[in-house]
């Protein structure tokens, strides 16, 4: 590796470290150790990957739905178009891993996480858009935090895969948050996050009956 290439690699790593630090500071809590232990259990790997694939599909669909609904907002359209393409690419990567490992792709019930976060969204515009974007930011931030925490506990292939997702997931968080601020301004965004983030912490820390990518720790 040349000196310039090594410097560029270090610079990329430094930027990612800053992104992850900001993201972790944004979230109200870290993923519980009990969830990480269950998610890293080889017996749960097929289930976790199947739910991860579902999450990527839903993330792409959410971005496209917003693009259909808010056609007059060009900055939003550009960012969400890119985001949807990246989420579908991640979906393709997950199912390729599942196929190589000869894992089935079962129908799974969704976790309560996204559903209960979306109950926070107000009905009228432009408040509906602001809240939807903030929920998107929180979900992307949590996904990125979990990828980073889970990666070192997995086999070599999956560790490399989850690490490869960190930069785009951190950018998705920043994009959603920036779009919300462009619509409502930082003061309203902070006020809404003060209500939303404690709800997110409850969902992440409260025990869940079913293991999912965004579930709480397993119920004992």
């Amino acid at each position: 590796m040349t000196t310039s290439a090594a410097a560029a690699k270090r610079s990329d790593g430094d930027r990612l470290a800053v992104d992850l630090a900001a993201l972790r500071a944004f979230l109200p809590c870290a993923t519980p150790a009990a969830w990480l232990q269950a998610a890293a259990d080889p017996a749960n790997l097929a289930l976790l990957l199947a739910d991860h694939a579902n999450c990527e599909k839903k993330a792409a669909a959410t971005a496209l739905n917003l693009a259909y609904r808010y056609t007059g907002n060009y900055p939003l359209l550009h960012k969400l178009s890119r985001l949807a393409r990246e989420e579908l690419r991640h979906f393709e990567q997950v199912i390729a891993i599942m196929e190589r490992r000869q894992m089935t792709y079962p129908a799974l019930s969704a976790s309560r996480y996204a559903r209960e976060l979306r109950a926070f969204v107000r009905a009228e515009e432009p408040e509906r858009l602001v809240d939807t974007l903030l929920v998107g930011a929180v979900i992307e931030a949590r996904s990125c935090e979990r990828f980073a925490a889970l990666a070192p506990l997995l086999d070599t292939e999956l560790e490399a895969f989850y690490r490869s997702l960190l930069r785009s997931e951190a950018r998705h968080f920043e994009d959603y948050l920036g779009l919300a601020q462009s619509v409502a301004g930082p003061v309203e965004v902070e006020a809404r996050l003060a209500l939303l983030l404690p709800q997110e912490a409850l969902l992440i820390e409260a025990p869940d009956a079913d293991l999912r990518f965004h579930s709480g720790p397993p119920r004992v």
Side-chain angles (χ1 to χ4, degrees):
M1 183 181 293
T2 65
T3 301
S4 59
K9 186 174 181 179
R10 285 197 301 273
S11 178
D12 286 346
D14 291 343
R15 283 196 296 271
L16 179 58
V18 170
D19 290 343
L20 290 175
L23 183 147
R24 288 169 177 143
F26 170 82
L27 289 169
C29 65
T31 290
W35 183 90
L36 290 171
Q37 182 180 4
D41 186 337
N44 293 326
L45 189 56
L47 182 151
L48 190 74
L49 286 171
D51 194 58
H52 180 187
N54 287 344
C55 290
E56 299 292 359
K57 282 193 295 186
K58 291 172 186 174
T62 295
L64 289 174
N65 285 338
L66 287 171
Y68 274 109
R69 181 178 291 274
Y70 300 103
T71 54
N73 188 325
Y74 283 106
L76 181 145
L77 294 176
H78 285 297
K79 285 186 181 296
L80 294 183
S81 176
R82 178 183 181 183
L83 191 152
R85 291 196 303 272
E86 289 180 337
E87 300 291 17
L88 283 176
R89 176 56 183 154
H90 297 167
F91 169 71
E92 292 167 358
Q93 290 174 296
V94 177
I95 61 173
I97 291 171
M98 294 170 64
E99 187 174 17
R100 283 197 300 274
R101 296 182 180 213
Q102 298 183 322
M103 294 174 174
T104 60
Y105 188 174
L108 295 176
S109 61
S111 71
R112 60 194 174 115
Y113 179 81
R115 180 181 68 253
E116 295 199 17
L117 287 182
R118 290 190 179 110
F120 166 84
V121 175
R122 291 168 288 183
E124 302 299 322
E125 298 289 3
E127 291 83 3
R128 178 180 179 180
L129 174 58
V130 174
D131 290 349
T132 301
L133 292 169
L134 290 178
V135 167
V138 169
I139 293 174
E140 294 292 341
R142 180 59 65 188
S143 297
C144 190
E145 186 262 352
R146 289 205 156 174
F147 291 153
L150 187 57
L153 307 178
L154 300 174
D155 61 62
T156 302
E157 180 189 29
L158 288 176
E159 178 180 7
F161 172 57
Y162 279 119
R163 289 191 187 281
S164 76
L165 300 180
L166 295 178
R167 189 176 305 284
S168 59
E169 295 298 322
R171 187 179 64 255
H172 296 169
F173 153 66
E174 292 166 356
D175 285 348
Y176 271 122
L177 188 60
L179 287 169
Q181 290 171 337
S182 72
V183 174
V187 174
E188 182 179 348
V189 164
E190 287 300 317
R192 294 303 290 167
L193 286 174
L195 300 174
L196 176 60
L197 289 172
Q199 294 182 28
E200 200 269 350
L202 289 174
L203 292 168
I204 288 301
E205 294 182 328
D208 267 312
D210 298 314
L211 179 67
R212 296 291 186 268
F213 209 93
H214 290 100
S215 65
R219 186 173 297 153
V220 178

